Amino acid sequence: MPAQRTGIGNNEAFTVVTVASDGLNTSSVNSLEGIASSSKFVDIPTAVDYEPIENLETPLDTFVISSTPEIGGVETVLVEGQPPGSVVLPQNDSVASNVQQPEIIYVSQPPAAKPTPEVFVVSQPSATKAVTTIKRPLSGSGNSPVVTKVIITKNPNTSQPQAMPIQLNQVLGQTMSLSSMGQGINIIPQGSQTPTKTITISPQGIVSASSMKLTTMSSPGKVGIPVRQLPMSPTKTPTKITMIPVSVGKSPQRIAPAAISMLAKNPSEPGSYTPVTISSTTGNTVTVSRPTVNMITMSPSKVLKQGTVLQSGQTLLGSNPQIITQGGVKQMAIPMSSVHSVQGSKFQYLRLVAPSSQGGKTAGGQLTSVVHGIPVSNSGTVSLGQHGGQQMKITLPLQGSQLKTVVSQAGSAGVHRILLPAQPNQVRLSTGGTTTSATTLQQIRPASSASLGQLPPGATILSAGNSAQGLQGFALVPASYLSQMQQAPAKPVAPVLPPEPQVQQSRQDYIAIASNDPSISANAMARNSVNGLSPVIEPTGARPRKPCNCTKSQCLKLYCDCFANGEFCHNCNCNNCANNLEHEEERSKAIKSCLDRNPMAFHPKIGKGREGNGDRRHNKGCNCKRSGCLKNYCECYEAKIMCSNHCKCVGCKNFEESPERKTLMHLADAAEVRVQQQTAAKSKLSSQISGIPSRPPVSSATGERLPYTFITAEVAEATCACLLAQAEEAERLKMPPVVQERMVIEEFGRCLLQIIDSANKTKDSDSNS
DNA sequence: GAGTTTGAAACT
DNA sequence: CAGTTTCAAACTC
């Protein structure tokens, strides 16, 4: 049956970007079972990791950007720019074009209501049995395509969507079917002449593939051709990175400070690129220009329109990012033609290139920005349920002047992902009937909401503000931040997710921001651990953070550890705190101020040493004078690393052979062991105590009153009075101390005899009665 | 818990 | 860039 290439897959590529949260390189990615080997994980250079992606051997293909952290301790996945159930594919001209392009045929039943032309409805069918079939084309080549399937599932406990990548390359060459659990999402082209363009995304729903074309079948004829169930890998989830705007929308946990330089594809010389230079930087405004063409700028409201000014929060989005190797440097290129209308410009691509890193590292090793997009022509109405009881409409421009509306509804039980169009800058966001003007299109941003959690999921990727060097990257949100969001008052309580096998949990816990990895951030790690002991993970799954106590800085200076770590204050003891969502603007200014002073302000303080030396090292070095670098005042010591030649410390004792350091280390080790022993003993004791009745029994098993019960408070008081009187008497008689002592003890003996006698009498009377 | 010490950050 | 001040954490009592 010929597949009809319509709807989402209609030559309009989607790209799902999986961004490794912790700088996964190829090798580490390959270790992730269930993630297609063709999936490349590209670092977003955050404040914590600037390793070049030198291992990225093949072009960028399939990525997933995850968002929220709820799935079994791993974040729920947001497929960027996609609602749950969307299919994301690179275009023909994307980098993986050398890979054979299989067809994907989605079949579902029953087809939804009669569609209207070019409008897609994403809805959740009640209990539709659906089958998703993937079919490889017959045309063969030596290269078997590696298909990555990203499954957006709905967590049964939380209703939160979750994505699971599945490597399908083993099943290529045969038709595969996905059996739905009936909780999928239909994408229904309404009004189209195409009979059935329903994509039912089951709990195992979404399928994406690298270099695959999505086609929707004109009829569900493939339903009956299931070959086998796709293997599921519930333990494998993509990364935890969420990108949110720094200066627009909710502030991030961590600022990704890296600047982006842009290159435009040179139309006169195919394959070559011309730098797009930053012509000026004023406040939150960055103007970019291109030497040979008219100046281009980007702003939230006018994407890449010449002559306008790039505003803070500008989004640079496009579909089908490519990895381009130029000068041995991997770079990302965005075909602008697909999403941007640059009048008068001959730009075909914008390329985001990370700036040269320090220390002789390869320039442009990092992809600072992630490009994604949904072809405008495919945008439509998305209905995703209630969103905080309020329907949210997002109107996005289509090609030409036509507008379409995206309706975002997310129920309290489940926050659904909402489609971000390729041009979120040109999206109208409206709630409760209030719609912004089409001429003042707003970014989808969480500025007006109480928390990021109220954002339409998927609407979180926006470019950050700008640094002194130019465009800035994205802000990344770690799980800890997401836990903050979960606790934001206006957000529905984050559901508790059942623990899942966490094969990659240890790795995925390493969120780029505020990572547990001590090599990542001295602030984040060293100050959050005590004596190197790993902090206990919060019930939310987030790493606990030490609360700050700032009083004067409003937590908007680097004095504040929360701020320095790119985190919001949360459960802190600070006064007049502005490091929160309510002071977003202030905070953004503060961030910019810090970056103005020091572009590396939010970079990790602790980096790796020289190549071949895995030791960590304080990038800046300490300046200790009195502590000998053997107290936690010293950032090196605090980070459990030795001082280096970067340090300017005086009287340093924090070096390898230092006897003082060794002694301290031994003491620290011993203390740690002691603490552990005490902890173990306490827990053991408490468990034992818990088995002891709180009040001992008054009587024995035979009903006999036990002796100690006769020593009542009155008896004890009387005894003490007797002893006291005896002592006074002995003193009055001026007896030697030894004799006085003896007299008191003898008196105590008499008291005891009296008690025993009384007890016996009581027992006798009890037995007589 | 209050006061002191310390060194990074901020400021000049 | 150096010196000074501010700040909050680390430390001491």
Side-chain angles (χ1 to χ4, degrees):
Chain A
M1 178 185 303
Q4 186 174 355
R5 299 194 174 202
T6 57
I8 278 181
N10 185 19
N11 291 329
E12 299 282 358
F14 297 80
T15 301
V16 183
V17 181
T18 300
V19 182
S21 60
D22 57 344
L24 292 177
N25 56 24
T26 303
S27 56
S28 60
V29 167
N30 287 339
S31 68
L32 301 177
E33 293 180 15
I35 297 178
S37 59
S38 65
S39 296
K40 297 308 171 203
F41 287 69
V42 181
D43 293 345
I44 292 179
T46 67
V48 294
D49 196 344
Y50 278 79
E51 290 298 305
I53 49 167
E54 293 161 350
N55 292 328
L56 191 65
E57 294 173 352
T58 58
L60 186 68
D61 43 24
T62 301
F63 296 86
V64 175
I65 293 175
S66 63
S67 165
T68 55
E70 285 102 8
I71 303 305
V74 182
E75 298 181 9
T76 307
V77 171
L78 156 66
V79 178
E80 192 53 41
Q82 302 288 330
S86 298
V87 175
V88 282
L89 299 169
Q91 262 183 342
N92 273 336
D93 57 352
S94 82
V95 282
S97 57
N98 58 328
V99 182
Q100 181 182 356
Q101 302 228 349
E103 293 177 346
I104 308 176
I105 302 170
Y106 293 86
V107 181
S108 76
Q109 64 176 6
K114 192 111 181 168
T116 55
E118 292 191 26
V119 176
F120 288 79
V121 174
V122 178
S123 61
Q124 290 195 312
S126 52
T128 308
K129 186 84 175 181
V131 174
T132 302
T133 304
I134 299 176
K135 182 184 177 184
R136 194 187 77 152
L138 294 175
S139 59
S141 84
N143 293 332
S144 293
V146 180
V147 180
T148 301
K149 170 173 162 288
V150 178
I151 295 175
I152 299 290
T153 66
K154 191 175 180 182
N155 187 290
N157 291 0
T158 67
S159 300
Q160 294 276 353
Q162 64 183 89
M164 297 176 184
I166 291 181
Q167 187 169 339
L168 303 182
N169 45 341
Q170 299 96 331
V171 292
L172 281 175
Q174 48 188 303
T175 303
M176 300 172 289
S177 72
L178 277 177
S179 179
S180 167
M181 299 292 285
Q183 296 178 9
I185 293 171
N186 288 339
I187 299 177
I188 306 154
Q190 295 182 343
S192 169
Q193 295 304 311
T194 305
T196 304
K197 283 196 279 189
T198 300
I199 301 174
T200 297
I201 307 301
S202 68
Q204 294 85 14
I206 185 172
V207 172
S208 76
S210 63
S211 297
M212 293 168 69
K213 280 295 177 185
L214 165 68
T215 59
T216 55
M217 294 194 62
S218 57
S219 72
K222 288 288 182 182
V223 170
I225 321 176
V227 173
R228 65 165 165 159
Q229 195 81 17
L230 282 174
M232 294 289 296
S233 179
T235 64
K236 308 305 181 300
T237 56
T239 162
K240 301 165 81 170
I241 284 184
T242 297
M243 289 185 284
I244 64 171
V246 168
S247 55
V248 177
K250 298 311 164 194
S251 303
Q253 269 279 24
R254 165 71 74 181
I255 301 110
I260 305 171
S261 61
M262 293 183 291
L263 292 89
K265 194 172 183 179
N266 190 339
S268 59
E269 294 181 48
S272 67
Y273 290 83
T274 303
V276 177
T277 58
I278 308 296
S279 61
S280 68
T281 304
T282 308
N284 286 333
T285 299
V286 171
T287 303
V288 294
S289 62
R290 186 181 165 204
T292 56
V293 186
N294 294 334
M295 182 173 71
I296 64 162
T297 58
M298 292 161 286
S299 74
S301 58
K302 297 176 181 178
V303 177
L304 291 175
K305 185 177 178 182
Q306 294 180 43
T308 55
V309 174
L310 177 64
Q311 300 293 328
S312 172
Q314 162 272 332
T315 301
L316 181 59
L317 297 170
S319 61
N320 312 312
Q322 297 185 28
I323 292 296
I324 296 165
T325 303
Q326 190 168 31
V329 177
K330 303 282 190 200
Q331 295 167 337
M332 180 187 282
I334 316 155
M336 293 171 58
S337 56
S338 63
V339 289
H340 297 305
S341 173
V342 187
Q343 296 177 359
S345 170
K346 294 178 181 178
F347 285 167
Q348 295 176 16
Y349 293 92
L350 263 188
R351 180 161 45 169
L352 307 183
V353 184
S356 300
S357 56
Q358 293 181 337
K361 279 186 178 178
T362 308
Q366 297 290 327
L367 298 181
T368 302
S369 193
V370 171
V371 185
H372 70 287
I374 299 167
V376 172
S377 60
N378 280 339
S379 58
T381 298
V382 180
S383 178
L384 295 172
Q386 288 294 318
H387 181 66
Q390 194 174 32
Q391 188 182 65
M392 182 177 291
K393 284 186 178 180
I394 300 170
T395 305
L396 44 137
L398 295 179
Q399 289 171 339
S401 58
Q402 193 178 0
L403 286 177
K404 288 186 177 177
T405 299
V406 174
V407 179
S408 166
Q409 294 173 328
S412 59
V415 179
H416 300 293
R417 303 301 173 211
I418 198 169
L419 244 245
L420 245 198
Q423 296 152 289
N425 293 343
Q426 297 181 359
V427 165
R428 284 196 299 181
L429 181 62
S430 64
T431 57
T434 304
T435 306
T436 58
S437 150
T439 56
T440 57
L441 296 174
Q442 293 182 345
Q443 288 182 311
I444 297 177
R445 58 177 195 153
S448 60
S449 59
S451 75
L452 255 181
Q454 292 185 331
L455 253 189
T460 52
I461 289 196
L462 292 173
S463 175
N466 42 277
S467 70
Q469 295 158 305
L471 296 174
Q472 196 168 53
F474 292 96
L476 309 180
V477 181
S480 58
Y481 169 67
L482 291 160
S483 72
Q484 294 177 33
M485 295 192 300
Q486 291 162 14
Q487 295 176 36
K491 185 177 185 293
V493 175
V496 178
L497 286 127
E500 291 185 13
Q502 298 296 323
V503 175
Q504 282 299 321
Q505 184 59 50
S506 59
R507 170 165 291 281
Q508 297 200 359
D509 275 342
Y510 285 81
I511 307 162
I513 300 162
S515 169
N516 280 345
D517 187 342
S519 69
I520 285 177
S521 167
N523 287 342
M525 178 57 186
R527 293 180 183 173
N528 284 322
S529 66
V530 177
N531 293 330
L533 294 174
S534 298
V536 178
I537 301 301
E538 288 176 348
T540 59
R543 179 183 48 78
R545 181 179 51 80
K546 193 172 182 182
C548 73
N549 302 294
C550 307
T551 56
K552 298 182 178 179
S553 67
Q554 289 190 287
C555 300
L556 290 182
K557 296 196 171 178
L558 295 175
Y559 298 127
C560 174
D561 283 347
C562 304
F563 181 79
N565 292 334
E567 299 172 353
F568 287 127
C569 284
H570 170 61
N571 287 343
C572 291
N573 308 312
C574 40
N575 294 333
N576 199 21
C577 179
N579 184 28
N580 49 43
L581 293 169
E582 287 71 36
H583 298 80
E584 178 189 328
E585 196 170 331
E586 243 177 300
R587 186 175 186 270
S588 295
K589 286 178 183 174
I591 290 168
K592 186 180 182 307
S593 176
C594 287
L595 289 171
D596 286 345
R597 274 192 297 270
N598 176 19
M600 307 285 285
F602 296 97
H603 283 225
K605 287 182 175 178
I606 308 299
K608 288 180 179 172
R610 293 176 185 172
E611 280 190 30
N613 181 1
D615 291 344
R616 296 179 295 126
R617 188 175 62 175
H618 198 292
N619 288 329
K620 191 179 167 187
C622 69
N623 299 291
C624 306
K625 290 176 177 60
R626 304 174 69 93
S627 66
C629 301
L630 288 182
K631 293 191 174 181
N632 280 335
Y633 298 126
C634 174
E635 291 192 347
C636 298
Y637 181 82
E638 189 183 26
K640 311 296 174 204
I641 58 178
M642 276 169 282
C643 290
S644 68
N645 52 3
H646 285 184
C647 299
K648 305 174 194 69
C649 41
V650 177
C652 180
K653 295 169 182 170
N654 184 25
F655 54 92
E656 181 70 48
E657 300 303 322
S658 164
E660 290 92 343
R661 190 189 75 88
K662 287 180 177 175
T663 304
L664 259 179
M665 289 299 162
H666 289 145
L667 287 173
D669 290 345
E672 187 174 334
V673 169
R674 209 160 43 238
V675 167
Q676 288 172 350
Q677 287 173 341
Q678 286 174 352
T679 306
K682 279 180 184 174
S683 64
K684 186 179 179 181
L685 187 64
S686 62
S687 67
Q688 289 175 341
I689 287 175
S690 65
I692 299 174
S694 56
R695 281 182 78 98
V698 175
S699 56
S700 67
T702 61
E704 185 179 312
R705 190 177 175 188
L706 294 172
Y708 74 88
T709 61
F710 294 99
I711 305 176
T712 62
E714 290 78 12
V715 171
E717 193 175 345
T719 303
C720 288
C722 292
L723 297 179
L724 204 60
Q726 183 69 1
E728 286 174 351
E729 177 65 14
E731 197 176 51
R732 191 184 62 80
L733 296 173
K734 292 188 169 52
M735 294 292 187
V738 177
V739 178
Q740 289 185 26
E741 198 173 309
R742 186 177 172 181
M743 290 172 68
V744 171
I745 292 173
E746 285 173 351
E747 176 63 19
F748 183 61
R750 284 191 292 272
C751 290
L752 283 177
L753 285 173
Q754 273 191 299
I755 293 169
I756 293 168
D757 189 46
S758 300
N760 288 334
K761 284 178 182 173
T762 305
K763 274 199 295 186
D764 291 343
S765 62
D766 285 348
S767 58
N768 293 336
S769 65

